[in-house]
Amino acid sequence: MEIIKETQNYIVVNKAPGEDSEHDVPRLLAEALKKENTGFLCIHRLDKTAGGLLVYGKNKAAAAELTKQLQEGTLKKSYLAIVPGIPEQTEGILKDLLYKDKTKQKMFPVKRMRKGVKEAVLSFKVADTKEWNGNVISLLEISLKTGRFHQIRCQFASRSLPLLGDGKYGSRIKTKSLCLFCRSLSFYDSVEKTEVAFTADPPAEEPWTVFSTVL
């Protein structure tokens, strides 16, 4: 976990793969800042096996404001992901109906709306394609229009493009960590009265480093 910026109302961090957004990161922040582990309120989440940017409210009012921005879509995030092969389209929009199986902690695409089903929408662009360890792999830039549980992982896996390292959704290519990273984050700072934006780089490890020329 790396602290990117801290203000009186929020703190932005770059979460490492393997750290839990709701428990590990607040504890690590408390240790780093020598404070009690009570003042870091999680606004949005990243899968434990993924990495990237997160913002935490430092008080209830700030957390409520950031949560409102998240719900209204003015808190914006973009992601990087690596998938096997080459998607049929170089860019596009994916729309699905997803159902969460709470027992398996996994999302499944379904054909019709019913209880527990939510619409999932994202846009993507193929940034580059390389060969790595005998596999053709593609780097994707992704923007979420909805924020569903395991959304990116499920939507691409359902199109035979499971993210590298994602055995839960059918990937056969093993990597040190899930190849999903929250690259950019922006929102309105109500104190500074301006939009603030942050970017971070994925881990300096393969297969991310294969795409170093475009990252």
Side-chain angles (χ1 to χ4, degrees):
M1 185 275 302
E2 174 191 6
I3 296 174
I4 304 298
K5 182 173 182 178
E6 181 184 12
T7 71
Q8 63 184 21
N9 286 323
Y10 64 82
I11 187 164
V12 176
V13 304
N14 181 3
K15 182 186 89 68
E19 296 171 351
D20 179 82
S21 303
E22 293 184 85
H23 303 100
D24 295 339
V25 175
R27 175 180 56 78
L28 292 168
L29 284 172
E31 292 173 359
L33 300 172
K34 296 182 168 61
K35 297 180 180 180
E36 291 187 12
N37 186 13
T38 56
F40 307 107
L41 305 172
C42 190
I43 307 303
H44 62 105
R45 295 162 182 78
L46 276 172
D47 296 341
K48 185 173 182 178
T49 50
L53 293 171
L54 290 169
V55 60
Y56 291 80
K58 292 180 65 178
N59 54 67
K60 290 183 179 180
E65 168 62 25
L66 289 167
T67 298
K68 181 180 178 182
Q69 291 190 47
L70 179 66
Q71 294 170 343
E72 294 177 347
T74 53
L75 188 155
K76 299 176 182 178
K77 301 167 288 179
S78 68
Y79 296 80
L80 295 173
I82 303 176
V83 298
I86 307 173
E88 292 182 3
Q89 296 176 288
T90 56
E91 59 183 296
I93 296 175
L94 304 185
K95 294 183 180 181
D96 293 286
L97 296 177
L98 301 183
Y99 173 77
K100 181 180 180 181
D101 186 318
K102 294 181 180 179
T103 302
K104 295 181 179 180
Q105 285 295 294
K106 187 175 179 180
M107 287 294 243
F108 293 90
V110 297
K111 294 184 178 180
R112 59 183 176 82
M113 185 64 73
R114 63 176 190 269
K115 184 178 180 180
V117 173
K118 294 183 178 180
E119 184 181 45
V121 184
L122 63 77
S123 62
F124 76 93
K125 178 181 179 181
V126 179
D128 200 4
T129 298
K130 298 284 188 180
E131 185 173 336
W132 175 68
N133 285 354
N135 300 291
V136 174
I137 59 175
S138 295
L139 176 70
L140 308 182
E141 297 172 347
I142 300 167
S143 177
L144 288 180
K145 309 303 180 185
T146 56
R148 309 305 183 199
F149 178 79
H150 287 183
Q151 179 179 336
I152 294 173
R153 298 165 66 180
C154 179
Q155 287 196 272
F156 283 99
S158 69
R159 291 164 173 82
S160 300
L161 295 167
L163 275 57
L164 268 62
D166 196 0
K168 189 180 187 76
Y169 283 89
S171 175
R172 295 182 179 180
I173 302 177
K174 294 184 178 181
T175 55
K176 185 176 179 180
S177 57
L178 174 67
C179 288
L180 177 64
F181 187 83
C182 185
R183 177 67 180 277
S184 69
L185 173 69
S186 64
F187 53 88
Y188 184 76
D189 185 322
S190 58
V191 174
E192 297 293 330
K193 299 189 183 308
T194 187
E195 184 177 271
V196 292
F198 307 91
T199 59
D201 294 323
E205 61 188 39
E206 292 186 353
W208 294 110
T209 51
V210 174
F211 298 100
S212 58
T213 57
V214 295
L215 288 175

